[in-house]
Amino acid sequence: MSPDLLHTYDHYFYALVALLGTALGVAGIQWFLRQSRWAAWAQSLHGVAPPFINIIGVLFGLTLAFLANDTWSAHDRATNAVFREADALRSLVTLSAALPGPLQGRVRAAIADYGQASAAEWPLLARRQSSAQVPDRADALLRLLAGRDVASAAGDTVQALMLRKVSDIRDQRDQRIGLSQTHVNPLKWLGMAFLGLVTLLSLAVVHVENPRAALVAMVLFALAAAPTAAIVLVQGNPFEQPASVSPAPIAAAVQGLDTLPVLTPALGKPDFQEVKRDF
């Protein structure tokens, strides 16, 4: 396995380690209790009160819960970034209605180019990479909206709002990139693995006089802990399957943009007539 591939899919590797490591831990402790040369010495450890398991079990459960919260929080932040980016694109489309026909068409084309490039970036995000075309098209959109043509056609207030929306788009895209490149923290998971091993040992010590009961208790704990840890680990990258954040909101925001009719903005100021009434 190449280092780049392992660097990209490290969460799957750690999930496999969690499953195999738990199984090996159960098998190793059971061998120690029944077949090793220290089995007789292990029997002398009986007498540990069963409530002792709760102390270490709670520590393990809290650690796993905190790690799961970090992972799912990253997934929620990525989803929120996608919807905010799509909302900013829709706002730009709406604000472009204040522009005259030819300029409005150029702005809409630049918005569509960015949205399509951004939605097409998802396969790269799954590999913890990014596309060079997306920032280039964002820069092109920014230059267009910052030009004098937009300022004279839409006014300073509308132009400032459009520029703010472009800044929001860039910020949300940067957040997506950062979340896609976040890797599993091995130290955090090593601490959880250590607590899991100690929990298995505490189960074995409590049931040391009955190796069969110890095996049942360890297997039940392993069935609860290892798959849960693996499920959390495989979601380390929010832009990769099986729980990938979808680019659908961004694609929908620019879908059919080139076929929308060009709106003619109202010119001049509305006339207000004073209405006099006799009472």
Side-chain angles (χ1 to χ4, degrees):
M1 182 180 294
S2 65
D4 292 340
L5 189 62
L6 180 61
H7 185 69
T8 301
Y9 300 100
D10 58 349
H11 48 291
Y12 284 103
F13 171 74
Y14 284 113
L16 181 62
V17 170
L19 293 174
L20 295 180
T22 304
L24 291 175
V26 172
I29 294 174
Q30 186 66 10
W31 171 83
F32 181 83
L33 293 179
R34 304 193 67 170
Q35 299 179 6
S36 71
R37 67 176 69 179
W38 302 282
W41 174 82
Q43 296 296 323
S44 66
L45 300 178
H46 68 88
V48 179
F52 173 75
I53 302 173
N54 298 333
I55 301 174
I56 301 175
V58 168
L59 293 176
F60 172 81
L62 288 175
T63 303
L64 181 57
F66 288 144
L67 291 174
N69 180 70
D70 290 344
T71 299
W72 291 324
S73 176
H75 192 278
D76 293 341
R77 288 163 56 197
T79 302
N80 187 51
V82 171
F83 277 96
R84 285 181 177 272
E85 188 174 351
D87 180 71
L89 288 171
R90 286 191 295 268
S91 298
L92 285 176
V93 174
T94 302
L95 293 172
S96 67
L99 303 175
L103 183 58
Q104 184 181 141
R106 289 168 54 197
V107 171
R108 287 185 174 181
I111 296 171
D113 288 343
Y114 172 84
Q116 293 167 1
S118 180
E121 192 178 27
W122 249 248
L124 292 175
L125 295 179
R127 299 195 297 270
R128 293 178 173 167
Q129 301 174 4
S130 59
S131 172
Q133 293 183 352
V134 180
D136 289 343
R137 295 187 180 184
D139 292 342
L141 178 60
L142 181 62
R143 286 192 298 269
L144 178 60
L145 295 179
R148 294 182 178 179
D149 293 341
V150 175
S152 60
D156 294 338
T157 302
V158 175
Q159 185 189 36
L161 183 56
M162 297 177 80
L163 293 176
R164 192 178 308 121
K165 292 300 178 181
V166 176
S167 178
D168 292 342
I169 289 172
R170 294 159 67 98
D171 290 342
Q172 300 307 320
R173 192 238 174 199
D174 289 341
Q175 185 171 6
R176 286 194 290 107
I177 298 299
L179 291 172
S180 71
Q181 296 180 357
T182 300
H183 291 266
V184 174
N185 189 324
L187 293 179
K188 290 182 179 180
W189 285 94
L190 182 61
M192 191 213 66
F194 176 75
L195 286 174
L197 177 61
V198 175
T199 304
L200 287 175
L201 291 173
S202 66
L203 290 170
V205 170
V206 168
H207 300 91
V208 69
E209 72 280 0
N210 189 343
R212 187 172 183 179
L215 177 62
V216 172
M218 289 189 296
V219 168
L220 290 176
F221 171 77
L223 290 176
T228 303
I231 290 172
V232 174
L233 279 163
V234 297
Q235 298 185 61
N237 184 351
F239 298 97
E240 188 174 2
Q241 297 298 336
S244 172
V245 175
S246 173
I250 296 176
V254 298
Q255 185 177 9
L257 191 58
D258 52 350
T259 62
L260 289 177
V262 176
L263 302 178
T264 303
L267 300 177
K269 297 182 180 179
D271 295 330
F272 295 95
Q273 295 181 353
E274 183 180 0
V275 178
K276 297 183 179 180
R277 296 184 180 179
D278 295 331
F279 294 96

mmCIF file of all heavy atoms in Angstrom, residues 49-74:
data_model
loop_
_atom_site.group_PDB
_atom_site.id
_atom_site.type_symbol
_atom_site.label_atom_id
_atom_site.label_comp_id
_atom_site.label_asym_id
_atom_site.label_seq_id
_atom_site.Cartn_x
_atom_site.Cartn_y
_atom_site.Cartn_z
ATOM 1 N N ALA A 49 -14.590 -7.067 42.771
ATOM 2 C CA ALA A 49 -16.037 -6.830 42.772
ATOM 3 C C ALA A 49 -16.522 -6.457 41.374
ATOM 4 O O ALA A 49 -15.874 -5.648 40.682
ATOM 5 C CB ALA A 49 -16.387 -5.735 43.762
ATOM 6 N N PRO A 50 -17.665 -6.989 40.916
ATOM 7 C CA PRO A 50 -18.187 -6.661 39.578
ATOM 8 C C PRO A 50 -18.399 -5.177 39.327
ATOM 9 O O PRO A 50 -18.173 -4.721 38.189
ATOM 10 C CB PRO A 50 -19.510 -7.439 39.536
ATOM 11 C CG PRO A 50 -19.296 -8.599 40.460
ATOM 12 C CD PRO A 50 -18.431 -8.061 41.565
ATOM 13 N N PRO A 51 -18.844 -4.358 40.313
ATOM 14 C CA PRO A 51 -19.013 -2.924 40.011
ATOM 15 C C PRO A 51 -17.730 -2.217 39.575
ATOM 16 O O PRO A 51 -17.796 -1.105 39.044
ATOM 17 C CB PRO A 51 -19.516 -2.351 41.345
ATOM 18 C CG PRO A 51 -20.188 -3.500 42.015
ATOM 19 C CD PRO A 51 -19.370 -4.697 41.643
ATOM 20 N N PHE A 52 -16.572 -2.862 39.764
ATOM 21 C CA PHE A 52 -15.311 -2.261 39.326
ATOM 22 C C PHE A 52 -15.310 -2.015 37.820
ATOM 23 O O PHE A 52 -14.664 -1.085 37.328
ATOM 24 C CB PHE A 52 -14.148 -3.171 39.723
ATOM 25 C CG PHE A 52 -12.827 -2.739 39.177
ATOM 26 C CD1 PHE A 52 -12.156 -1.655 39.717
ATOM 27 C CD2 PHE A 52 -12.252 -3.415 38.110
ATOM 28 C CE1 PHE A 52 -10.934 -1.253 39.198
ATOM 29 C CE2 PHE A 52 -11.030 -3.025 37.597
ATOM 30 C CZ PHE A 52 -10.370 -1.938 38.145
ATOM 31 N N ILE A 53 -16.081 -2.837 37.079
ATOM 32 C CA ILE A 53 -16.131 -2.693 35.619
ATOM 33 C C ILE A 53 -16.689 -1.335 35.232
ATOM 34 O O ILE A 53 -16.285 -0.736 34.225
ATOM 35 C CB ILE A 53 -16.981 -3.823 35.000
ATOM 36 C CG1 ILE A 53 -16.400 -5.180 35.372
ATOM 37 C CG2 ILE A 53 -17.074 -3.685 33.497
ATOM 38 C CD1 ILE A 53 -17.267 -6.343 34.945
ATOM 39 N N ASN A 54 -17.639 -0.833 36.031
ATOM 40 C CA ASN A 54 -18.302 0.417 35.667
ATOM 41 C C ASN A 54 -17.333 1.590 35.593
ATOM 42 O O ASN A 54 -17.497 2.494 34.767
ATOM 43 C CB ASN A 54 -19.404 0.732 36.681
ATOM 44 C CG ASN A 54 -20.489 -0.335 36.691
ATOM 45 O OD1 ASN A 54 -20.712 -0.999 35.682
ATOM 46 N ND2 ASN A 54 -21.151 -0.501 37.817
ATOM 47 N N ILE A 55 -16.322 1.588 36.439
ATOM 48 C CA ILE A 55 -15.400 2.731 36.481
ATOM 49 C C ILE A 55 -14.674 2.883 35.151
ATOM 50 O O ILE A 55 -14.663 3.955 34.535
ATOM 51 C CB ILE A 55 -14.396 2.548 37.634
ATOM 52 C CG1 ILE A 55 -15.137 2.437 38.977
ATOM 53 C CG2 ILE A 55 -13.394 3.699 37.650
ATOM 54 C CD1 ILE A 55 -14.225 2.121 40.135
ATOM 55 N N ILE A 56 -14.080 1.793 34.694
ATOM 56 C CA ILE A 56 -13.317 1.853 33.437
ATOM 57 C C ILE A 56 -14.259 1.917 32.245
ATOM 58 O O ILE A 56 -13.972 2.596 31.250
ATOM 59 C CB ILE A 56 -12.379 0.638 33.336
ATOM 60 C CG1 ILE A 56 -11.429 0.626 34.538
ATOM 61 C CG2 ILE A 56 -11.595 0.674 32.037
ATOM 62 C CD1 ILE A 56 -10.539 -0.584 34.604
ATOM 63 N N GLY A 57 -15.390 1.221 32.327
ATOM 64 C CA GLY A 57 -16.346 1.243 31.220
ATOM 65 C C GLY A 57 -16.874 2.632 30.932
ATOM 66 O O GLY A 57 -17.051 3.018 29.770
ATOM 67 N N VAL A 58 -17.132 3.400 31.991
ATOM 68 C CA VAL A 58 -17.615 4.766 31.796
ATOM 69 C C VAL A 58 -16.541 5.629 31.132
ATOM 70 O O VAL A 58 -16.833 6.441 30.229
ATOM 71 C CB VAL A 58 -18.047 5.372 33.142
ATOM 72 C CG1 VAL A 58 -18.272 6.865 33.017
ATOM 73 C CG2 VAL A 58 -19.314 4.691 33.645
ATOM 74 N N LEU A 59 -15.294 5.471 31.537
ATOM 75 C CA LEU A 59 -14.209 6.217 30.902
ATOM 76 C C LEU A 59 -14.099 5.880 29.414
ATOM 77 O O LEU A 59 -13.929 6.773 28.567
ATOM 78 C CB LEU A 59 -12.883 5.922 31.606
ATOM 79 C CG LEU A 59 -12.739 6.436 33.048
ATOM 80 C CD1 LEU A 59 -11.409 5.975 33.637
ATOM 81 C CD2 LEU A 59 -12.836 7.951 33.084
ATOM 82 N N PHE A 60 -14.212 4.601 29.089
ATOM 83 C CA PHE A 60 -14.153 4.192 27.686
ATOM 84 C C PHE A 60 -15.336 4.764 26.910
ATOM 85 O O PHE A 60 -15.166 5.292 25.797
ATOM 86 C CB PHE A 60 -14.148 2.664 27.585
ATOM 87 C CG PHE A 60 -14.273 2.161 26.175
ATOM 88 C CD1 PHE A 60 -13.174 2.110 25.343
ATOM 89 C CD2 PHE A 60 -15.502 1.758 25.669
ATOM 90 C CE1 PHE A 60 -13.286 1.652 24.037
ATOM 91 C CE2 PHE A 60 -15.630 1.302 24.366
ATOM 92 C CZ PHE A 60 -14.520 1.252 23.554
ATOM 93 N N GLY A 61 -16.529 4.664 27.468
ATOM 94 C CA GLY A 61 -17.712 5.167 26.775
ATOM 95 C C GLY A 61 -17.650 6.667 26.529
ATOM 96 O O GLY A 61 -18.025 7.148 25.449
ATOM 97 N N LEU A 62 -17.177 7.427 27.521
ATOM 98 C CA LEU A 62 -17.070 8.874 27.340
ATOM 99 C C LEU A 62 -16.050 9.224 26.262
ATOM 100 O O LEU A 62 -16.280 10.128 25.443
ATOM 101 C CB LEU A 62 -16.684 9.533 28.667
ATOM 102 C CG LEU A 62 -17.774 9.576 29.742
ATOM 103 C CD1 LEU A 62 -17.210 10.138 31.033
ATOM 104 C CD2 LEU A 62 -18.966 10.389 29.276
ATOM 105 N N THR A 63 -14.927 8.520 26.254
ATOM 106 C CA THR A 63 -13.903 8.787 25.241
ATOM 107 C C THR A 63 -14.432 8.518 23.839
ATOM 108 O O THR A 63 -14.239 9.330 22.916
ATOM 109 C CB THR A 63 -12.656 7.928 25.501
ATOM 110 O OG1 THR A 63 -12.160 8.190 26.817
ATOM 111 C CG2 THR A 63 -11.565 8.239 24.491
ATOM 112 N N LEU A 64 -15.127 7.391 23.664
ATOM 113 C CA LEU A 64 -15.693 7.070 22.356
ATOM 114 C C LEU A 64 -16.772 8.079 21.973
ATOM 115 O O LEU A 64 -16.873 8.472 20.803
ATOM 116 C CB LEU A 64 -16.268 5.657 22.381
ATOM 117 C CG LEU A 64 -16.885 5.142 21.069
ATOM 118 C CD1 LEU A 64 -15.871 5.205 19.937
ATOM 119 C CD2 LEU A 64 -17.402 3.718 21.244
ATOM 120 N N ALA A 65 -17.560 8.523 22.947
ATOM 121 C CA ALA A 65 -18.603 9.507 22.654
ATOM 122 C C ALA A 65 -18.004 10.836 22.199
ATOM 123 O O ALA A 65 -18.513 11.474 21.269
ATOM 124 C CB ALA A 65 -19.482 9.707 23.878
ATOM 125 N N PHE A 66 -16.918 11.262 22.833
ATOM 126 C CA PHE A 66 -16.276 12.509 22.429
ATOM 127 C C PHE A 66 -15.704 12.404 21.015
ATOM 128 O O PHE A 66 -15.812 13.350 20.215
ATOM 129 C CB PHE A 66 -15.167 12.876 23.411
ATOM 130 C CG PHE A 66 -15.682 13.344 24.753
ATOM 131 C CD1 PHE A 66 -15.002 13.030 25.915
ATOM 132 C CD2 PHE A 66 -16.844 14.083 24.843
ATOM 133 C CE1 PHE A 66 -15.475 13.452 27.147
ATOM 134 C CE2 PHE A 66 -17.325 14.516 26.065
ATOM 135 C CZ PHE A 66 -16.645 14.197 27.224
ATOM 136 N N LEU A 67 -15.093 11.279 20.695
ATOM 137 C CA LEU A 67 -14.542 11.104 19.355
ATOM 138 C C LEU A 67 -15.656 11.058 18.311
ATOM 139 O O LEU A 67 -15.519 11.622 17.216
ATOM 140 C CB LEU A 67 -13.714 9.816 19.303
ATOM 141 C CG LEU A 67 -12.409 9.847 20.102
ATOM 142 C CD1 LEU A 67 -11.755 8.470 20.099
ATOM 143 C CD2 LEU A 67 -11.459 10.880 19.526
ATOM 144 N N ALA A 68 -16.755 10.391 18.633
ATOM 145 C CA ALA A 68 -17.893 10.349 17.713
ATOM 146 C C ALA A 68 -18.478 11.737 17.516
ATOM 147 O O ALA A 68 -18.868 12.117 16.400
ATOM 148 C CB ALA A 68 -18.955 9.388 18.240
ATOM 149 N N ASN A 69 -18.538 12.528 18.580
ATOM 150 C CA ASN A 69 -19.064 13.883 18.467
ATOM 151 C C ASN A 69 -18.186 14.741 17.553
ATOM 152 O O ASN A 69 -18.706 15.539 16.757
ATOM 153 C CB ASN A 69 -19.143 14.515 19.852
ATOM 154 C CG ASN A 69 -19.689 15.928 19.810
ATOM 155 O OD1 ASN A 69 -20.868 16.152 19.552
ATOM 156 N ND2 ASN A 69 -18.825 16.899 20.064
ATOM 157 N N ASP A 70 -16.860 14.575 17.636
ATOM 158 C CA ASP A 70 -15.960 15.319 16.744
ATOM 159 C C ASP A 70 -16.229 14.963 15.280
ATOM 160 O O ASP A 70 -16.281 15.837 14.406
ATOM 161 C CB ASP A 70 -14.500 15.018 17.094
ATOM 162 C CG ASP A 70 -14.086 15.624 18.425
ATOM 163 O OD1 ASP A 70 -14.797 16.512 18.920
ATOM 164 O OD2 ASP A 70 -13.062 15.181 18.978
ATOM 165 N N THR A 71 -16.406 13.667 15.016
ATOM 166 C CA THR A 71 -16.620 13.223 13.643
ATOM 167 C C THR A 71 -17.942 13.721 13.098
ATOM 168 O O THR A 71 -18.010 14.257 11.981
ATOM 169 C CB THR A 71 -16.568 11.688 13.581
ATOM 170 O OG1 THR A 71 -15.281 11.243 14.020
ATOM 171 C CG2 THR A 71 -16.815 11.192 12.163
ATOM 172 N N TRP A 72 -19.000 13.552 13.843
ATOM 173 C CA TRP A 72 -20.314 13.969 13.353
ATOM 174 C C TRP A 72 -20.453 15.486 13.328
ATOM 175 O O TRP A 72 -21.200 16.033 12.521
ATOM 176 C CB TRP A 72 -21.407 13.312 14.201
ATOM 177 C CG TRP A 72 -21.469 11.831 13.959
ATOM 178 C CD1 TRP A 72 -21.264 11.189 12.762
ATOM 179 C CD2 TRP A 72 -21.708 10.796 14.916
ATOM 180 N NE1 TRP A 72 -21.367 9.829 12.923
ATOM 181 C CE2 TRP A 72 -21.642 9.551 14.231
ATOM 182 C CE3 TRP A 72 -21.971 10.795 16.282
ATOM 183 C CZ2 TRP A 72 -21.845 8.335 14.867
ATOM 184 C CZ3 TRP A 72 -22.176 9.566 16.919
ATOM 185 C CH2 TRP A 72 -22.116 8.360 16.213
ATOM 186 N N SER A 73 -19.748 16.176 14.202
ATOM 187 C CA SER A 73 -19.742 17.634 14.147
ATOM 188 C C SER A 73 -19.091 18.115 12.853
ATOM 189 O O SER A 73 -19.564 19.076 12.227
ATOM 190 C CB SER A 73 -19.005 18.204 15.358
ATOM 191 O OG SER A 73 -18.907 19.608 15.274
ATOM 192 N N ALA A 74 -18.005 17.461 12.444
ATOM 193 C CA ALA A 74 -17.362 17.809 11.170
ATOM 194 C C ALA A 74 -18.311 17.558 10.003
ATOM 195 O O ALA A 74 -18.365 18.340 9.041
ATOM 196 C CB ALA A 74 -16.072 17.014 10.997
#
